[in-house]
Every structure is written in C-alpha cells, then in structure tokens.
C-alpha cells in the first residue's frame, strides 16, 4: 500500500447488519402473534428507548421511564401486531392495559431467556431536549398574556390509593 489508510465503508455494513438483526425481532414477534402464540418456554424481554422517534406510550409510563423501559412478552399480551417498521402491543401495567407502539429502531436489547438468545443494538439518535435555564424576565408593561391559561389536565393517579 502507499499509505492511503483504511478504505471507507460506503456500503455502511454496520447499518445493514443492525437492520437485518432487527428483522429477527420482527420475525420472532410475527411468530408470537399467530393464534398458537409463543412456542414452548419462549418469551421475550424487549428494551427500548421511550423517547425515541416514533415511540408511543402512555404519559404515565413515559414519566416513570423517561429514558428506557424493558417489557416482557410472555403470558399476558394482546393485539400484538408486528409491522415492517414497528410493532404494537397491549400489555398490563399495574393491572391496567396500555397500548405501546415501538419502532424497531428504538429497541436496544432483545432477549429470550428460555434459550439465552440476546441481540444488543446501538441506541438510536435522540433529539436533545431543549431546556430554558433562565426564563426571560417580563415586566408589567411587557405582559400581554391573559392571566388564565385555560383548562388544566390533572392526572388522577396521584390521588388513587395504592
């Protein structure tokens, strides 16, 4: 060689490999979504980023798990629908059914403990959360906003007995 260094991977085999392995997750979920369900002792622990693009989970779960959550697909799951780019499932949290929509690119780990099979993925790129450290000071002469901001949404979970 003439000192050119390593060639550039213009095919992006790392990205292609990740996509192919996420296809394994989709195929496993398709098998679990059949009327026969999961065969034998198989079950899945699926870890995903809760704030990744395309993830849709209830607000209480998002608040409780602001970064990542692991869900179990085993005995009690409903409406499992694996699609090309994502899957949808209803699981119970605290006795309440909750619908989850998870793109495969949000998954960071897939584990079937019955056969010790695990797939680990690079976390998806997350959009930075913008935080305004110092709110702009507004003097009385600059305040054109009405004093009533309208109706407020209050979660009743904090008032429920546990």
């Amino acid at each position: 060689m003439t000192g050119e260094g390593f060639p550039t991977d213009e095919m992006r085999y790392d990205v292609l490999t990740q996509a192919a392995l996420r296809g394994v997750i989709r195929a496993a979920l398709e098998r679990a979504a059949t009327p026969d369900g999961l065969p034998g002792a198989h079950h899945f622990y699926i870890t995903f980023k809760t704030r990744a693009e395309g993830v849709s989970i209830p607000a209480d779960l998002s608040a409780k798990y602001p970064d990542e959550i692991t869900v179990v697909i085993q005995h009690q799951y409903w409406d499992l629908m694996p699609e090309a780019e994502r899957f949808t499932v209803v699981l119970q949290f605290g006795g309440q059914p909750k619908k989850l929509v998870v793109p495969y690119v949000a998954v960071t780990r897939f584990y079937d403990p019955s056969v010790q099979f695990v797939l680990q993925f690079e976390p998806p790129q997350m959009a930075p959360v913008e935080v305004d450290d110092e709110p702009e000071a507004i003097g009385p002469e600059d305040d054109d906003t009405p004093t009533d901001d309208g109706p407020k949404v209050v979660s009743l979970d904090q008032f429920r007995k546990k």
Side-chain angles (χ1 to χ4, degrees), residues 136-149:
E136 185 177 316
I138 298 177
E141 66 279 352
D142 296 335
D143 189 7
D144 292 339
T145 59
T147 57
D148 183 15
D149 292 330

Side-chain angles (χ1 to χ4, degrees), residues 11 36 63 66 113 136 141 157:
M11 291 294 293
D36 294 332
E136 185 177 316
E141 66 279 352
D157 292 336

